[in-house]
Amino acid sequence: MDTCDKCGDPKIIINRKQSGQMLCQDCFLELIQEKVLKDIRRQKLIKKGDKVLVALSGGKDSVMVLHILNSLRDRRIIDLVAVTIDEGISGYREDGVRIAAQNAEALGIKHRIISFKEHVGHTLDEIMADSDDRNACTYCGVFRRWILNQVAKEEGATKIATGHNLDDETQSILMNYLEGNIHNLTRIGVQSESKYEGFTVKIKPLRELPEKEIATYVLAADLPVHLAGCPYAGDSFRAKIGTFLKEISNEHPTIMYSTLRAFDKIKPVIKEKFSQKGSMDICQECGEPSAGKICKACSFRLSWNQ
């Protein structure tokens, strides 16, 4: 009979194929918590006194980030604030917002809900109803980053923590390589490295955890999470790359780890050769950092009002 490799309990909940470990519920939860906190220390993602804004969607990844970082808040190492962005996706986003609020309230963490309608003037549903030249992820990504950076400054946050996991990161690496987007490759990493004032540093505490283990963790810890997938993501290029990586990982369990490790080794060379050296400006519309006189978010907003 198979037993837990750490304590001998016969009630196994996971076989970690990449390491060969078989673990019971308690040992798995303890191991994952220790790994994430160790990764935070090793990568120097957080320092004592930081105020971390958690981008809390209500999904499994961001909920896990909130709960693990709360252990540092309980020890008075950091302060936390949670922000949920309501993109305005009818029949989908309402549950995520409700579950995000439930988690923040249970931990006693300040929680803000910011809507696209409030900040952008349109819900994502409204944007897509009038758009025939871009997919939803283009608009959503631009506006989410724009809003999070603004709110981080309002809250005095020194870091923005997101729930990006191993699957997300390897998808981004492969997507940008296949599209020949070398500039975007220079920006992929465990934390943002912008030298320009006005950008709050973003960190990814779950970057080395596969999505499957995160799903197992939130179920084992009995955390309330929103498991539904975004209705706009199904036909995206990222979704197709994600399906490919999951399929190849069935036969090669370490493929995403090796992809990430190899990328991290060559990234300094890519960054040195291909990082854009242009100066940063301030958007004349919103005051956020921008590569030109008008930032991408405001260029979208202005085009709709013309």
Side-chain angles (χ1 to χ4, degrees):
M1 177 186 292
D2 292 331
T3 60
C4 176
D5 290 335
K6 292 177 71 70
C7 73
D9 191 325
K11 296 179 181 178
I12 303 298
I13 69 164
I14 191 169
N15 179 359
R16 303 181 78 213
K17 291 185 178 180
Q18 74 278 9
S19 66
Q21 285 179 304
M22 290 186 289
L23 299 169
C24 69
Q25 177 173 319
D26 289 344
C27 289
F28 173 70
L29 290 173
E30 181 181 1
L31 180 143
I32 295 299
Q33 290 166 0
E34 289 179 352
K35 173 176 173 47
V36 174
L37 293 174
K38 181 179 178 181
D39 288 344
I40 288 171
R41 292 192 298 271
R42 177 172 56 85
Q43 300 281 2
K44 298 179 180 178
L45 302 185
I46 290 173
K47 65 179 185 295
K48 186 175 177 61
D50 270 335
K51 183 174 185 179
V52 182
L53 182 153
V54 177
L56 182 65
S57 69
K60 61 186 184 309
D61 308 291
S62 64
V63 167
M64 181 174 172
V65 169
L66 186 76
H67 281 261
I68 289 184
L69 291 187
N70 189 59
S71 68
L72 299 179
R73 172 177 170 263
D74 284 343
R75 291 156 54 191
R76 302 183 185 279
I77 295 173
I78 63 172
D79 192 11
L80 284 180
V81 59
V83 173
T84 300
I85 297 177
D86 180 358
E87 302 90 349
I89 305 173
S90 181
Y92 163 74
R93 204 66 194 97
E94 298 90 346
D95 284 345
V97 171
R98 175 180 56 79
I99 292 170
Q102 181 181 345
N103 278 278
E105 183 178 0
L107 298 174
I109 294 170
K110 180 181 178 181
H111 182 224
R112 291 179 60 181
I113 301 170
I114 308 292
S115 70
F116 271 23
K117 188 73 172 180
E118 172 190 352
H119 265 62
V120 178
H122 303 272
T123 66
L124 189 59
D125 283 344
E126 291 169 348
I127 292 169
M128 294 312 297
D130 293 332
S131 176
D132 55 8
D133 61 339
R134 289 186 174 89
N135 64 44
C137 296
T138 299
Y139 293 113
C140 194
V142 167
F143 287 128
R144 284 176 60 85
R145 289 189 293 270
W146 180 68
I147 291 170
L148 284 173
N149 200 60
Q150 287 181 321
V151 177
K153 288 187 286 188
E154 291 173 9
E155 292 292 332
T158 52
K159 304 283 172 60
I160 298 172
T162 64
H164 291 85
N165 57 47
L166 178 64
D167 297 55
D168 297 324
E169 202 76 343
T170 51
Q171 288 165 19
S172 294
I173 292 166
L174 190 52
M175 285 168 58
N176 284 292
Y177 178 76
L178 292 175
E179 293 180 317
N181 199 332
I182 305 302
H183 174 59
N184 275 1
L185 282 174
T186 67
R187 298 189 296 185
I188 294 173
V190 70
Q191 63 179 318
S192 59
E193 302 172 354
S194 177
K195 61 182 179 293
Y196 300 110
E197 290 187 11
F199 283 119
T200 303
V201 173
K202 297 181 181 68
I203 60 173
K204 303 172 184 175
L206 307 186
R207 185 178 185 248
E208 298 190 13
L209 283 181
E211 184 177 34
K212 181 179 178 180
E213 291 192 0
I214 294 171
T216 303
Y217 181 95
V218 298
L219 289 172
D222 196 26
L223 300 178
V225 297
H226 185 218
L227 293 175
C230 176
Y232 288 114
D235 294 327
S236 68
F237 185 43
R238 176 177 288 276
K240 293 172 182 175
I241 293 296
T243 298
F244 165 74
L245 284 170
K246 281 184 171 63
E247 290 175 352
I248 199 171
S249 293
N250 288 332
E251 294 185 13
H252 304 279
T254 62
I255 195 71
M256 287 193 286
Y257 289 98
S258 59
T259 300
L260 188 70
R261 297 284 183 264
F263 172 75
D264 283 348
K265 288 178 181 177
I266 66 173
K267 182 187 170 182
V269 178
I270 298 173
K271 187 176 178 182
E272 181 180 358
K273 186 171 179 62
F274 295 103
S275 286
Q276 293 182 350
K277 308 295 183 182
S279 60
M280 187 63 63
D281 208 337
I282 297 296
C283 177
Q284 294 178 354
E285 289 292 319
C286 68
E288 286 292 292
S290 173
K293 293 183 178 180
I294 304 295
C295 71
K296 193 68 173 176
C298 287
S299 70
F300 284 152
R301 294 191 303 138
L302 289 172
S303 68
W304 298 328
N305 294 328
Q306 289 177 352

